[in-house]
Amino acid sequence: GQNIDQPTEMTATEGAIVQINCTYQTSGFNGLFWYQQHAGEAPTFLSYNVLDGLEEKGRFSSFLSRSKGYSYLLLKELQMKDSASYLCAVKDSDYKLSFGAGTTVTVRA
Amino acid sequence: IAGITQAPTSQILAAGRRMTLRCTQDMRHNAMYWYRQDLGLGLRLIHYSNTAGTTGKGEVPDGYSVSRANTDDFPLTLASAVPSQTSVYFCASSESGGEGNEQFFGPGTRLTVL
Protein backbone atom coordinates (compact mmCIF):
# COMPACT_ATOMS: atom_id res chain seq x y z
CA GLY A 1 0.00 0.00 0.00
CA GLN A 2 0.89 3.64 -0.06
CA ASN A 3 2.49 5.37 2.91
CA ILE A 4 2.13 9.12 3.29
CA ASP A 5 3.19 10.77 6.55
CA GLN A 6 2.60 14.28 7.80
CA PRO A 7 2.41 15.76 11.31
CA THR A 8 -0.98 15.62 13.00
CA GLU A 9 -1.07 19.16 14.36
CA MET A 10 0.83 22.45 14.22
CA THR A 11 0.22 25.78 15.93
CA ALA A 12 1.57 29.15 14.85
CA THR A 13 1.02 32.84 15.47
CA GLU A 14 -0.74 35.22 13.10
CA GLY A 15 1.81 36.77 10.71
CA ALA A 16 4.32 33.95 11.17
CA ILE A 17 5.49 31.22 8.78
CA VAL A 18 4.65 27.53 9.10
CA GLN A 19 6.16 24.61 7.17
CA ILE A 20 4.21 21.37 6.87
CA ASN A 21 6.33 18.38 5.90
CA CYS A 22 5.15 15.33 3.99
CA THR A 23 7.10 12.15 3.31
CA TYR A 24 5.85 9.43 1.03
CA GLN A 25 6.54 5.90 -0.14
CA THR A 26 4.29 4.96 -3.03
CA SER A 27 4.19 2.54 -5.95
CA GLY A 28 5.26 4.96 -8.64
CA PHE A 29 4.92 8.73 -8.72
CA ASN A 30 2.83 10.94 -10.96
CA GLY A 31 2.68 14.12 -8.94
CA LEU A 32 2.07 15.46 -5.46
CA PHE A 33 -0.85 17.66 -4.46
CA TRP A 34 -1.64 19.82 -1.45
CA TYR A 35 -5.24 20.50 -0.47
CA GLN A 36 -6.73 22.76 2.20
CA GLN A 37 -9.79 21.64 4.13
CA HIS A 38 -11.66 23.85 6.58
CA ALA A 39 -13.67 22.06 9.26
CA GLY A 40 -16.93 20.67 7.88
CA GLU A 41 -16.08 21.61 4.31
CA ALA A 42 -14.70 19.95 1.18
CA PRO A 43 -10.97 19.88 0.35
CA THR A 44 -9.86 22.59 -2.08
CA PHE A 45 -6.78 22.43 -4.30
CA LEU A 46 -3.72 24.46 -3.28
CA SER A 47 -0.74 23.26 -5.29
CA TYR A 48 0.75 20.60 -7.55
CA ASN A 49 4.37 19.47 -7.94
CA VAL A 50 5.62 16.88 -10.38
CA LEU A 51 9.22 18.10 -10.88
CA ASP A 52 11.78 18.79 -8.14
CA GLY A 53 11.83 22.30 -6.83
CA LEU A 54 9.69 25.08 -5.44
CA GLU A 55 6.31 26.22 -6.73
CA GLU A 56 5.16 29.59 -5.38
CA LYS A 57 1.58 30.84 -5.32
CA GLY A 58 1.15 34.03 -3.35
CA ARG A 59 1.51 33.30 0.37
CA PHE A 60 1.71 29.55 -0.26
CA SER A 61 4.70 27.63 -1.65
CA SER A 62 5.24 23.92 -2.16
CA PHE A 63 8.52 22.07 -2.54
CA LEU A 64 9.25 18.60 -3.89
CA SER A 65 12.26 16.28 -3.79
CA ARG A 66 11.42 13.07 -5.62
CA SER A 67 14.69 11.36 -4.72
CA LYS A 68 13.96 11.88 -1.00
CA GLY A 69 10.22 11.20 -1.22
CA TYR A 70 9.66 14.53 0.47
CA SER A 71 7.55 17.62 0.09
CA TYR A 72 6.66 20.62 2.20
CA LEU A 73 3.98 23.28 2.11
CA LEU A 74 5.07 26.71 3.32
CA LEU A 75 2.45 29.14 4.54
CA LYS A 76 3.72 32.72 4.93
CA GLU A 77 2.17 35.74 6.65
CA LEU A 78 -0.30 33.51 8.42
CA GLN A 79 -3.86 34.74 8.78
CA MET A 80 -6.62 33.47 11.06
CA LYS A 81 -8.47 32.12 8.01
CA ASP A 82 -5.51 29.78 7.36
CA SER A 83 -6.61 27.66 10.34
CA ALA A 84 -7.54 24.42 8.57
CA SER A 85 -6.34 20.92 7.76
CA TYR A 86 -3.73 20.57 5.03
CA LEU A 87 -3.73 17.33 3.09
CA CYS A 88 -0.75 15.90 1.23
CA ALA A 89 -1.69 13.54 -1.62
CA VAL A 90 0.40 11.53 -4.09
CA LYS A 91 -0.68 10.20 -7.47
CA ASP A 92 0.76 6.71 -7.93
CA SER A 93 1.68 4.66 -11.01
CA ASP A 94 -2.02 3.85 -11.61
CA TYR A 95 -2.84 7.57 -11.39
CA LYS A 96 -4.82 7.04 -8.20
CA LEU A 97 -4.53 9.68 -5.49
CA SER A 98 -3.52 8.56 -1.97
CA PHE A 99 -3.91 11.02 0.88
CA GLY A 100 -2.07 11.52 4.12
CA ALA A 101 -4.16 11.87 7.27
CA GLY A 102 -3.80 15.65 7.19
CA THR A 103 -2.13 18.31 9.35
CA THR A 104 -4.39 20.56 11.41
CA VAL A 105 -2.93 24.06 11.59
CA THR A 106 -4.18 26.40 14.28
CA VAL A 107 -3.35 30.08 13.91
CA ARG A 108 -3.35 32.06 17.17
CA ALA A 109 -3.74 35.82 17.45
CA ILE B 1 -24.40 26.14 -10.92
CA ALA B 2 -20.88 25.04 -11.84
CA GLY B 3 -19.21 22.33 -9.79
CA ILE B 4 -20.19 19.14 -8.02
CA THR B 5 -23.32 18.53 -6.01
CA GLN B 6 -23.99 15.69 -3.61
CA ALA B 7 -27.20 14.49 -2.03
CA PRO B 8 -28.24 14.04 0.66
CA THR B 9 -26.22 16.41 2.85
CA SER B 10 -26.60 14.05 5.77
CA GLN B 11 -28.44 10.84 6.53
CA ILE B 12 -29.07 8.55 9.47
CA LEU B 13 -29.61 4.98 8.33
CA ALA B 14 -30.53 1.73 10.06
CA ALA B 15 -28.08 -1.13 9.62
CA GLY B 16 -29.09 -3.47 6.83
CA ARG B 17 -30.81 -0.80 4.77
CA ARG B 18 -29.87 0.05 1.18
CA MET B 19 -28.71 3.59 0.46
CA THR B 20 -27.59 5.47 -2.65
CA LEU B 21 -25.49 8.61 -2.38
CA ARG B 22 -25.88 10.85 -5.40
CA CYS B 23 -23.17 12.87 -7.14
CA THR B 24 -23.54 15.14 -10.17
CA GLN B 25 -20.98 17.38 -11.88
CA ASP B 26 -21.52 19.89 -14.66
CA MET B 27 -17.89 20.47 -15.64
CA ARG B 28 -17.91 17.68 -18.28
CA HIS B 29 -15.05 16.00 -16.43
CA ASN B 30 -14.18 12.50 -17.60
CA ALA B 31 -12.99 11.12 -14.27
CA MET B 32 -15.00 10.83 -11.07
CA TYR B 33 -14.18 9.42 -7.63
CA TRP B 34 -15.75 8.46 -4.33
CA TYR B 35 -13.81 8.84 -1.07
CA ARG B 36 -14.64 8.31 2.55
CA GLN B 37 -13.05 10.44 5.27
CA ASP B 38 -12.65 9.14 8.78
CA LEU B 39 -10.92 10.86 11.69
CA GLY B 40 -7.21 10.09 11.76
CA LEU B 41 -7.30 8.12 8.51
CA GLY B 42 -7.62 10.79 5.88
CA LEU B 43 -9.42 10.40 2.59
CA ARG B 44 -9.56 6.85 1.21
CA LEU B 45 -10.62 5.99 -2.33
CA ILE B 46 -13.64 3.70 -2.59
CA HIS B 47 -14.32 3.52 -6.34
CA TYR B 48 -13.44 5.58 -9.37
CA SER B 49 -14.41 5.99 -13.01
CA ASN B 50 -12.02 7.29 -15.67
CA THR B 51 -14.77 7.70 -18.25
CA ALA B 52 -18.47 7.04 -18.68
CA GLY B 53 -19.17 3.32 -18.87
CA THR B 54 -16.09 2.24 -16.89
CA THR B 55 -15.46 1.88 -13.16
CA GLY B 56 -12.64 0.62 -10.97
CA LYS B 57 -11.99 -0.35 -7.36
CA GLY B 58 -10.05 1.85 -4.99
CA GLU B 59 -8.48 1.11 -1.62
CA VAL B 60 -11.69 0.29 0.31
CA PRO B 61 -14.35 -0.98 -2.17
CA ASP B 62 -16.00 -3.72 -0.09
CA GLY B 63 -19.67 -3.07 0.67
CA TYR B 64 -19.98 -0.38 -2.00
CA SER B 65 -20.91 -0.35 -5.68
CA VAL B 66 -20.94 2.37 -8.32
CA SER B 67 -22.20 2.93 -11.84
CA ARG B 68 -21.33 5.52 -14.50
CA ALA B 69 -24.11 5.55 -17.07
CA ASN B 70 -23.24 9.06 -18.28
CA THR B 71 -20.57 11.73 -17.85
CA ASP B 72 -22.35 13.78 -15.21
CA ASP B 73 -23.59 11.26 -12.63
CA PHE B 74 -21.71 8.84 -10.39
CA PRO B 75 -23.94 7.31 -7.69
CA LEU B 76 -22.52 5.25 -4.82
CA THR B 77 -24.68 2.45 -3.40
CA LEU B 78 -24.42 0.71 -0.06
CA ALA B 79 -26.35 -2.53 -0.59
CA SER B 80 -26.71 -3.37 3.10
CA ALA B 81 -25.30 -0.69 5.38
CA VAL B 82 -23.18 -1.57 8.43
CA PRO B 83 -22.09 0.71 11.31
CA SER B 84 -18.45 0.73 10.06
CA GLN B 85 -19.70 2.62 7.00
CA THR B 86 -20.46 5.62 9.20
CA SER B 87 -18.30 8.31 7.63
CA VAL B 88 -18.23 11.48 5.56
CA TYR B 89 -18.38 10.67 1.87
CA PHE B 90 -16.88 12.97 -0.75
CA CYS B 91 -17.39 12.78 -4.47
CA ALA B 92 -14.73 14.35 -6.70
CA SER B 93 -14.04 14.85 -10.38
CA SER B 94 -11.13 15.75 -12.63
CA GLU B 95 -10.70 16.43 -16.35
CA SER B 96 -9.06 13.06 -16.74
CA GLY B 97 -7.49 10.39 -14.56
CA GLY B 98 -3.97 11.05 -15.79
CA GLU B 99 -0.99 13.07 -14.59
CA GLY B 100 -1.70 16.51 -13.16
CA ASN B 101 -5.43 17.15 -13.24
CA GLU B 102 -6.45 18.42 -9.83
CA GLN B 103 -9.56 16.90 -8.36
CA PHE B 104 -12.55 19.05 -7.45
CA PHE B 105 -14.57 17.90 -4.45
CA GLY B 106 -18.26 18.03 -3.70
CA PRO B 107 -19.57 19.29 -0.32
CA GLY B 108 -19.80 15.79 1.16
CA THR B 109 -22.48 13.55 2.64
CA ARG B 110 -22.36 12.77 6.35
CA LEU B 111 -23.71 9.24 6.82
CA THR B 112 -24.47 7.61 10.16
CA VAL B 113 -25.37 3.92 10.27
CA LEU B 114 -26.98 2.75 13.49
Side-chain angles (χ1 to χ4, degrees):
Chain A
Q2 320 296 20
N3 193 24
I4 300 170
D5 289 318
Q6 50 182 128
T8 304
E9 294 179 334
M10 301 183 76
T11 302
T13 306
E14 198 172 14
I17 298 173
V18 70
Q19 178 175 313
I20 305 169
N21 296 323
C22 172
T23 57
Y24 63 89
Q25 288 178 303
T26 56
S27 53
F29 180 83
N30 278 299
L32 186 143
F33 297 77
W34 284 96
Y35 283 82
Q36 180 190 58
Q37 186 177 25
H38 285 101
E41 297 182 8
T44 55
F45 170 77
L46 283 179
S47 70
Y48 168 68
N49 296 71
V50 67
L51 300 176
D52 289 353
L54 190 68
E55 293 282 340
E56 296 189 82
K57 253 191 194 182
R59 294 189 298 114
F60 293 3
S61 304
S62 57
F63 171 83
L64 175 67
S65 168
R66 287 172 300 171
S67 63
K68 294 181 180 175
Y70 168 71
S71 172
Y72 68 72
L73 180 69
L74 196 69
L75 286 63
K76 294 177 274 190
E77 300 169 20
L78 278 172
Q79 301 175 10
M80 299 300 288
K81 67 179 182 180
D82 298 330
S83 291
S85 280
Y86 292 85
L87 314 179
C88 175
V90 175
K91 206 169 246 195
D92 64 18
S93 55
D94 292 331
Y95 297 100
K96 293 198 205 71
L97 207 55
S98 292
F99 285 81
T103 299
T104 299
V105 172
T106 302
V107 181
R108 291 185 177 163
Chain B
I1 300 174
I4 303 180
T5 57
Q6 293 184 235
T9 303
S10 66
Q11 182 77 43
I12 299 174
L13 191 66
R17 297 297 294 267
R18 181 185 179 87
M19 175 74 192
T20 295
L21 308 185
R22 300 184 298 278
C23 175
T24 299
Q25 54 101 0
D26 64 0
M27 296 177 283
R28 306 305 293 171
H29 283 172
N30 286 309
M32 296 186 75
Y33 313 86
W34 274 105
Y35 294 90
R36 60 178 289 173
Q37 188 173 38
D38 302 290
L39 201 62
L41 292 178
L43 286 155
R44 291 181 292 167
L45 182 65
I46 304 170
H47 284 288
Y48 67 95
S49 168
N50 284 330
T51 189
T54 70
T55 62
K57 292 181 180 179
E59 181 186 353
V60 288
D62 294 343
Y64 305 96
S65 63
V66 291
S67 61
R68 186 90 183 277
N70 57 60
T71 299
D72 298 344
D73 301 300
F74 191 43
L76 176 75
T77 298
L78 290 66
S80 179
V82 294
S84 62
Q85 292 178 311
T86 294
S87 188
V88 180
Y89 291 86
F90 287 101
C91 179
S93 72
S94 62
E95 278 191 31
S96 78
E99 188 179 298
N101 291 297
E102 67 193 80
Q103 293 183 12
F104 296 84
F105 286 81
T109 293
R110 184 173 295 276
L111 182 67
T112 302
V113 182
L114 301 176

